[in-house]
Structure formats: C-alpha cells, structure tokens
Amino acid sequence: MSRRPVRRTAHRRPGRRPRKRDQPVVLLVATVAAVAAVGLVAAVVQWLLAHWWILALTALVASGAGGLWFRQTRRRAEWARVRSRALRLRIAEIDALDHRAFEFAVRDLMRRDGCKAERLGGAGDNACDVRAVDPVGRVWAIQCKHRRNGERGSAVGVGVLQQVNGTARQIHGADIAVVLTNGCFSSKAVPWGKQHRIHLVDRHMLGQWAAGPRPLWDLLDRLAPRHRPPTLP
C-alpha cells in the first residue's frame, strides 16, 4: 500500500501578530487608559476652576519675576554703557597691563567711542588684535604692541607694519589700518606707514585718546571716507 504524503504545516513565529482572541483585551486596556487620562485631566481642570486663585497667584508671581528679571537685565546693560562711556585710562595704567589686557583695553576704548568692536588677538589673528566698525561704517583693523617698559621698550619696526599691510585690507576688509603701541616707532616705520596708509598711534597719541573724551578718529589724519552719514545720538 502506498502511504499518503504527510503535509507539513509551517509554524508561525511567536510574537509577530497578536492572536485574534487577544485583540479585545488590548482594545479594552487602551480604552480604559484613555478614559482614565480624560478623567484625570477633567479632575485637574475642575480642581483648578474651584481653586482659581492659585492660577491667579501663579500668574502674578510669574509676571513679577519676569518683570524683575527684565529690569535687572536692562539696568546691567545701562550700567555697562555708562561705564563704557566713562572709561578713562592713564598711560601709567596702560603700562601696567599685560599684552592680552592691553588688547581688551583698546577694544573697550573703541566701544566707548561708539564702535562695535571685538578682540581677535591670539594665534591666527592675521595681524589684527582688535577689529571695529565705527559709527559711520568704517572698518578698523588695529594691531596692538604693548611694551612693558613703555617708551624705553623696543621700538615697533617696519616688519610689523608690513604684516598689517598684507592682511588688514585683504583679510579683515579694513578701511583704516592702525598699529598702536604704548611705546614708540622706529625712524623708518613712520615714513613707511605714511606711504602705505597705515596709521601709527604712539605713546603720546594713545595717552591722549585713552585719557580724554575725543575718539581716535579725531586724532588721526588722512582717514578713509565715511561709508554713510553719521547717525544722530
């Protein structure tokens, strides 16, 4: 007698699809969870409506805290502007700075005069320690050279000016290139700077600028033309 071939039924992998008899249970659990969530929300809303004064008190406290934070922030900004406008430095105070603090001092003096200024000094600054935009739109690239011994320190030479001449306009987009020091410049640096439109600020001019109310552009000659009319204060 020939035997009939036995058909092999494929076994379903467990966990792929929920069995049909389990679906009502899953649906019931989801429905109960949704009803519980709606009930909880309704209970919270009802409780808050019954205790409305808590909402009012919370809003009042939040409003007061926000107003206090805004006033303090505005006051700090106002004091910063006042300190910036009142900034005065004597040349002896500048001599006592290190090179990094000297760069920040120059940045703050430019801000005092109404510029948007930032310190770039450090590795990779491309011969520009302070970059600023003055109130009439001119871009300044300032290279700072601090001398611990002041005017008795080594003179700033042509080599520094050559570096500035190669980067101030080409890289930093400067309209006005400046080399600034609390010391002095070499005899060759002065005519070289004039020839290449690089403004030199020596110890004497720096002392005038830092200690007085006049902005730096009032002390320099042969400045680039203004980009736009000056804005009224």
Side-chain angles (χ1 to χ4, degrees), residues 30-122:
T31 304
V32 170
V35 171
V38 171
L40 180 61
V41 171
V44 171
V45 171
Q46 186 176 2
W47 185 87
L48 289 175
L49 290 176
H51 301 79
W52 59 269
W53 56 271
I54 294 181
L55 289 176
L57 181 61
T58 303
L60 183 62
V61 171
S63 176
L68 179 61
W69 175 84
F70 177 77
R71 286 194 297 271
Q72 288 179 344
T73 302
R74 186 175 180 180
R75 189 176 301 169
R76 284 195 296 267
E78 195 65 32
W79 273 113
R81 283 193 291 269
V82 170
R83 286 195 301 270
S84 175
R85 291 171 183 172
L87 179 62
R88 298 289 186 270
L89 292 173
R90 294 175 298 172
I91 196 67
E93 294 174 316
I94 293 175
D95 290 340
L97 301 175
D98 59 25
H99 191 88
R100 185 171 182 270
F102 180 53
E103 294 170 357
F104 278 111
V106 172
R107 180 205 65 180
D108 292 342
L109 287 168
M110 293 298 287
R111 289 180 177 179
R112 178 199 68 183
D113 296 340
C115 298
K116 296 179 180 179
E118 59 179 335
R119 174 188 174 267
L120 304 178

Side-chain angles (χ1 to χ4, degrees), residues 127-186:
C128 177
D129 294 314
V130 176
R131 186 179 186 275
V133 180
D134 65 22
V136 296
R138 294 171 299 198
V139 177
W140 294 63
I142 305 175
Q143 177 73 344
C144 304
K145 291 297 178 183
H146 185 267
R147 296 293 183 255
R148 184 168 52 183
N149 296 323
E151 58 187 348
R152 296 190 301 274
S154 59
V156 179
V158 173
V160 174
L161 276 64
Q162 289 174 337
Q163 294 177 356
V164 172
N165 189 53
T167 62
R169 300 174 183 89
Q170 296 87 334
I171 295 179
H172 301 289
D175 301 298
I176 302 171
V178 177
V179 178
L180 183 150
T181 182
N182 64 323
C184 59
F185 291 93
S186 68

